[in-house]
Amino acid sequence: MKDTAKHQGLRNQLVALLKGKGITDASVLEAIGKIPRHLFLESGFENYAYQDKAFPIGADQTISQPYTVAFQSQLLEVKKEDKILEIGTGSGYQTAVLCALGAKVYSVERQSELFKKTSVLFPKLGVRPKHLSFGDGYKGLPLHAPFDSIIVTAGAPFIPKPLMAQLKIGGRLVIPLGEEVQIMTMLIRKNATQFEKHEFGEFRFVPLLEDKN
């Protein structure tokens, strides 16, 4: 579990790259500059950790490319103490970024292998999500709702209704929508029944699966 000056140098390069790709949120860039992404990957991939690429992490899942993590985080416009629901803990890297932004993170993972891994990893790295849950992301976490924002880190064929219901008025839901290729979509809740929809171009994610394994 080492984080060296060399790793920090690679992170600084990654931050510069993300700036060049249009990420402007200073706090998101700072979080990415701080978090040791190599510790969220299998050791065999360590040398690639600071490239702007997605990598396999087990259970047929991937760690999203840093640009995607930064882009989704920027769309959320995270404020300190925001209560955020994350659907798909995965490697835990996105969770760590949200925690570094000062959010209270409630994260759900449906793959038991990944859930167990992050449950052990987070305390070692000093990452403190408010709540980690093993379950079906389509259902959200009704007991902890409502949320200031919701982030979905897997491609979904449609927007799950329970997630819309668990969003505060004024809150943001960021979700990649589509089958093969996804359109990054943001819903802003205007009132009890109305949502404003924004689309931000194509991304590629592993599919959001229903029911836990």
Side-chain angles (χ1 to χ4, degrees), residues 19-36:
K19 272 187 190 163
K21 285 187 166 186
I23 300 296
T24 53
D25 187 320
S27 47
V28 170
L29 291 166
E30 188 187 337
I32 287 191
K34 210 160 52 180
I35 292 164

Side-chain angles (χ1 to χ4, degrees), residues 195-208:
F195 291 80
E196 183 182 288
K197 185 178 178 185
H198 301 262
E199 293 184 339
F200 298 92
E202 292 186 356
F203 285 78
R204 279 184 185 276
F205 283 80
V206 290
L208 178 66

Side-chain angles (χ1 to χ4, degrees), residues 49-87:
Y50 298 104
Q51 293 180 8
D52 192 21
K53 290 194 178 125
F55 285 101
I57 53 167
D60 289 329
Q61 302 298 300
T62 57
I63 181 172
S64 292
Q65 77 179 88
Y67 174 73
T68 305
V69 171
F71 191 86
Q72 283 193 288
S73 302
Q74 181 166 282
L75 286 181
L76 291 178
E77 293 186 1
V78 181
K79 292 183 277 307
K80 291 260 190 295
E81 302 295 305
D82 269 3
K83 194 170 161 190
I84 298 183
L85 173 60
E86 178 190 35
I87 303 301

Side-chain angles (χ1 to χ4, degrees), residues 9 29 44-45 53-54 60-61 67 73 81 84 92-93 95 106 110 121 124 131 159 166 184 203:
L29 291 166
F45 290 114
K53 290 194 178 125
D60 289 329
Q61 302 298 300
Y67 174 73
S73 302
E81 302 295 305
I84 298 183
Y93 179 65
T95 321
Y106 294 72
R110 65 173 293 285
L121 181 66
K124 288 182 185 166
H131 180 82
I159 301 175
Q166 290 170 36
M184 190 65 76
F203 285 78

Side-chain angles (χ1 to χ4, degrees), residues 9 48 81 120 127 165 211:
Y48 305 99
E81 302 295 305
V120 172
V127 175
D211 302 322

Side-chain angles (χ1 to χ4, degrees), residues 11-211:
R11 280 201 290 283
N12 296 345
Q13 287 171 15
L14 175 60
V15 167
L17 177 80
L18 296 178
K19 272 187 190 163
K21 285 187 166 186
I23 300 296
T24 53
D25 187 320
S27 47
V28 170
L29 291 166
E30 188 187 337
I32 287 191
K34 210 160 52 180
I35 292 164
R37 187 173 185 253
H38 62 284
L39 300 180
F40 292 86
L41 291 168
E42 302 294 336
S43 54
F45 290 114
E46 188 184 331
N47 292 335
Y48 305 99
Y50 298 104
Q51 293 180 8
D52 192 21
K53 290 194 178 125
F55 285 101
I57 53 167
D60 289 329
Q61 302 298 300
T62 57
I63 181 172
S64 292
Q65 77 179 88
Y67 174 73
T68 305
V69 171
F71 191 86
Q72 283 193 288
S73 302
Q74 181 166 282
L75 286 181
L76 291 178
E77 293 186 1
V78 181
K79 292 183 277 307
K80 291 260 190 295
E81 302 295 305
D82 269 3
K83 194 170 161 190
I84 298 183
L85 173 60
E86 178 190 35
I87 303 301
T89 317
S91 69
Y93 179 65
Q94 174 75 72
T95 321
V97 169
L98 294 172
C99 288
L101 291 169
K104 294 176 178 164
V105 184
Y106 294 72
S107 193
V108 183
E109 176 54 58
R110 65 173 293 285
Q111 303 280 358
S112 58
E113 177 192 335
L114 298 180
F115 174 71
K116 286 176 187 150
K117 214 183 256 184
T118 51
S119 302
V120 172
L121 181 66
F122 285 151
K124 288 182 185 166
L125 298 181
V127 175
R128 294 183 184 83
K130 197 84 180 141
H131 180 82
L132 279 183
S133 179
F134 172 56
D136 181 356
Y138 273 83
K139 297 189 176 83
L141 287 175
L143 290 176
H144 297 281
F147 295 96
D148 294 302
S149 28
I150 299 175
I151 178 171
V152 179
T153 62
F158 58 88
I159 301 175
K161 287 276 189 294
L163 299 187
M164 292 167 76
Q166 290 170 36
L167 194 61
K168 269 186 190 166
I169 290 171
R172 296 169 167 233
L173 167 61
V174 174
I175 182 168
L177 279 183
E179 304 278 352
E180 292 296 310
V181 174
Q182 292 84 30
I183 300 294
M184 190 65 76
T185 306
M186 177 170 73
L187 294 186
I188 299 176
R189 187 166 199 172
K190 291 301 183 187
N191 54 40
T193 55
Q194 286 176 303
F195 291 80
E196 183 182 288
K197 185 178 178 185
H198 301 262
E199 293 184 339
F200 298 92
E202 292 186 356
F203 285 78
R204 279 184 185 276
F205 283 80
V206 290
L208 178 66
L209 303 171
E210 219 164 340
D211 302 322

